[in-house]
């Protein structure tokens, strides 16, 4: 079959890498792709957020199945356009994607099914929001309701920070995403990510992971899109996963179906674990980045069969065949990230590195320039390895990092510290 993947980051390189290993895949196109994806698939130029253009591209290229990587095309209704045109796709409708595209919507769903989460309130003007913060006190969490490229959540440890976040959001810093604001109680505990495939009805857990959001070692410094991840996350024990399935995931999926907006795709639950209890922090309606890279490393070719089963409503026939191992990915980012950074520096030494089912360098922000791989974003490479233990995966990943010649980039040297 001919498959199109939408997106061009490390997540999509990992998806493409897993899909290519499956003999069902005859032709793989990734739009826009990047320099790493270009080595294993065809890259195409396409406005991935315009459903009618994506449908037209699929018809012209006889695409049978589309995997939608990022949240923006999902929120824009690209899955709806594909389904209406009779093209199978992996990823939820725009209505169901509100589980990520509206924080208030997710909280309403949690309330409707009594799923454990932080107490919350929504505001569409700053005065009442400020009063609520003063009444509640800090620490407190302020969230722009809409999609804000991962920057719309402020965990305020003092009242002044929370009030400043209200000014920024209602002042237009996040555009329309900040027109409404959700304020939540601060939750203590350890955060981990839980990934569940859903076909509208059946839910199939496919793994756990933990990422490192802060730029600096010891989880210090500003937030980033993620500086590294590993899977499984030992903190999310089987008992806690069962609890999350019973109290949060299955009730959510049932409520979405009841409301006439069945959820299809991967449901990525950010969970807070505290004293043997899980609570929902947030949902995302796509794979995490870089969490996808470690999940794909562990799932391999079966990822395509599972995603097809989601699209075709036959997840009840599937099970996940896990290699009983661990995977870790280390993000190499351009110096200065997440602040100002330069693009265009050459990354050397990649050709000499292994590229197999245990060791892979997934490209995040790269492009080809006269045959050279050059940095083209903040997060540039995801150096990923599997091992019988997390320690072994880590040693393999850092051995590859050390073989990469890129003075203009950096990484954290402590990925996995919590689990190790
Ligand atoms: N790594 C966090 C995310 O993808 O949202």
């Amino acid at each position: 079959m001919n498959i199109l993947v939408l997106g061009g980051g490390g997540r999509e390189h990992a998806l493409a890498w897993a899909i290519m290993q499956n003999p069902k895949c005859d032709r793989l196109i990734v739009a826009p792709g990047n320099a790493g994806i270009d080595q294993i698939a065809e890259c195409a130029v396409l406005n991935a957020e315009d459903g009618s253009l994506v449908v037209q591209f699929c018809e012209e290229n006889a695409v049978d199945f589309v995997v939608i990587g990022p949240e923006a095309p999902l929120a824009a209704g690209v899955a709806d356009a594909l389904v209406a045109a009779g093209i199978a796709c992996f990823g939820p409708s725009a209505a169901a994607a509100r589980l990520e595209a509206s924080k208030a919507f997710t909280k309403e769903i949690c309330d409707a099914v009594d799923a454990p989460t932080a107490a919350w309130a929504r505001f569409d003007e700053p005065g009442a929001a400020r009063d609520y913060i003063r009444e509640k006190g800090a620490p407190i969490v302020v969230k722009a309701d809409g999609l804000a490229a991962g920057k719309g959540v402020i965990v305020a440890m003092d009242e002044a920070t929370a009030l400043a976040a209200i000014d920024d959001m209602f002042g237009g810093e996040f555009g329309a995403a900040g027109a409404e604001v959700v304020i939540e109680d601060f939750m203590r505990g350890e955060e981990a990510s839980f990934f569940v495939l859903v076909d509208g009805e059946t839910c199939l857990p496919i793994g756990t992971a933990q990422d490192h959001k802060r730029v600096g070692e010891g989880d210090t410094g500003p937030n980033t899109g993620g500086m590294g991840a590993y899977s499984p996350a030992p903190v999310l024990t089987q008992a806690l996963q069962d609890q999350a399935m019973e109290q949060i995931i299955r009730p959510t999926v049932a409520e979405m179906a009841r409301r006439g907006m069945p959820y299809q795709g991967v449901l990525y639950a950010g969970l807070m674990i505290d004293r043997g209890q899980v609570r929902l922090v947030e949902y995302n309606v796509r794979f995490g980045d870089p969490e996808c890279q470690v999940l794909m490393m562990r799932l391999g070719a079966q990822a395509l069969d599972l995603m097809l089963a989601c699209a075709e409503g036959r997840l009840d026939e599937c099970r996940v065949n896990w290699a009983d191992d661990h995977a870790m990915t280390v993000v190499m980012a351009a110096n200065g990230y997440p602040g100002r950074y330069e693009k265009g520096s050459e990354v050397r030494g990649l050709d000499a590195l292994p590229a197999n089912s245990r060791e892979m360098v997934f490209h995040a922000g790269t492009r080809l320039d006269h045959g050279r791989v050059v940095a083209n974003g903040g997060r540039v490479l995801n150096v990923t390895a599997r091992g019988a233990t997390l320690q072994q995966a880590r040693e393999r990943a850092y051995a590859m990092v050390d073989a990469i010649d890129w003075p203009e980039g950096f990484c954290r040297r402590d990925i996995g510290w919590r689990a190790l």
Side-chain angles (χ1 to χ4, degrees):
M1 67 182 357
N2 298 334
I3 300 171
L4 170 67
V5 174
L6 296 181
R11 169 180 50 208
E12 288 76 24
H13 191 184
L15 288 166
W17 173 82
I19 289 169
M20 276 304 284
Q21 293 173 47
N22 191 306
K24 287 196 182 84
C25 179
D26 297 312
R27 181 181 176 203
L28 180 61
I29 310 169
V30 184
N34 60 37
I37 295 171
D38 191 61
Q39 290 167 12
I40 60 167
E42 297 169 45
C43 292
V45 178
L46 173 62
N47 178 355
E49 290 175 34
D50 184 325
S52 53
L53 286 180
V54 175
V55 167
Q56 188 187 338
F57 181 90
C58 290
E59 286 169 350
E60 286 168 4
N61 290 278
V63 170
D64 304 292
F65 183 52
V66 181
V67 175
I68 303 176
E71 61 278 17
L74 294 165
V78 171
D80 305 73
L82 288 164
V83 169
I87 300 163
C89 81
F90 177 77
S93 65
R98 291 182 72 212
L99 284 176
E100 177 167 356
S102 168
K103 309 282 182 255
F105 176 77
T106 292
K107 292 300 229 179
E108 271 174 24
I109 294 280
C110 286
D111 285 356
V113 301
D114 215 11
T117 186
W120 69 290
R122 70 198 298 172
F123 300 92
D124 57 11
E125 58 92 17
R130 287 195 199 102
D131 290 347
Y132 184 80
I133 287 169
R134 290 193 188 102
E135 183 193 319
K136 282 271 185 178
I140 196 158
V141 180
V142 181
K143 296 181 173 178
D145 180 65
L147 292 180
K151 299 188 179 84
V153 176
I154 309 296
V155 180
M157 299 313 287
D158 55 68
E159 209 174 285
T161 306
L163 293 172
I166 293 296
D167 291 343
D168 289 346
M169 287 180 193
F170 285 112
E173 182 159 332
F174 301 103
E180 187 163 79
V181 165
V182 167
I183 304 180
E184 295 183 12
D185 285 3
F186 175 80
M187 285 192 276
R188 286 177 207 287
E190 188 169 343
E191 204 173 334
S193 307
F194 187 35
F195 295 88
V196 182
L197 293 180
V198 184
D199 68 359
E201 193 178 337
T202 301
C203 304
L204 182 67
I206 54 158
T208 62
Q210 255 179 324
D211 76 349
H212 296 64
K213 291 199 169 74
R214 303 292 186 128
V215 74
E217 276 148 29
D219 291 335
T220 54
N223 266 329
T224 69
M227 292 301 292
Y230 51 95
S231 173
V235 67
L236 217 41
T237 60
Q238 189 58 52
L240 289 172
Q241 291 177 49
D242 293 346
Q243 194 188 111
M245 288 301 289
E246 290 320 308
Q247 297 181 3
I248 302 172
I249 307 291
R250 284 203 186 93
T252 298
V253 169
E255 178 67 10
M256 294 297 284
R258 195 189 68 74
R259 293 187 182 205
M261 46 181 87
Y263 189 89
Q264 186 270 109
V266 62
L267 190 56
Y268 154 13
L271 300 175
M272 189 64 80
I273 299 132
D274 186 30
R275 289 166 289 179
Q277 297 294 315
V278 286
R279 288 197 286 171
L280 183 74
V281 178
E282 64 179 10
Y283 279 129
N284 294 300
V285 298
R286 36 81 194 174
F287 283 108
D289 188 345
E291 294 92 327
C292 185
Q293 290 78 318
V294 284
L295 291 174
M296 290 305 128
M297 200 88 199
R298 296 183 66 216
L299 284 173
Q302 66 182 313
L304 175 60
D305 298 315
L306 293 167
M307 291 190 286
L308 277 168
C310 282
E312 292 165 2
R314 9 171 225 90
L315 208 51
D316 56 339
E317 298 166 9
C318 299
R319 64 188 191 91
V320 183
N321 296 310
W322 279 118
D324 185 17
D325 66 358
H326 300 254
M328 179 179 290
T329 189
V330 178
V331 171
M332 294 188 77
N335 290 339
Y337 175 81
R340 277 173 52 84
Y341 56 82
E342 300 285 326
K343 290 184 182 178
S345 55
E346 184 176 357
V347 184
R348 295 192 187 84
L350 295 173
D351 288 344
L353 291 177
N356 54 52
S357 63
R358 288 191 324 179
E359 293 157 300
M360 268 302 295
V361 177
F362 296 117
H363 290 222
T366 63
R367 67 179 170 83
L368 280 175
D369 179 18
H370 299 94
R372 303 173 315 149
V373 174
V374 299
N376 195 38
R379 292 187 295 170
V380 172
L381 299 173
N382 306 141
V383 184
T384 312
R386 282 167 61 192
T389 61
L390 187 59
Q391 182 61 34
Q392 194 181 62
R394 181 191 223 198
E395 281 161 16
R396 285 191 177 136
Y398 278 113
M400 287 197 287
V401 165
D402 291 338
I404 293 170
D405 178 10
W406 183 39
E408 294 84 359
F410 74 100
C411 69
R412 275 180 62 166
R413 302 293 312 191
D414 65 344
I415 301 304
W417 70 269
R418 275 181 199 278
L420 290 167

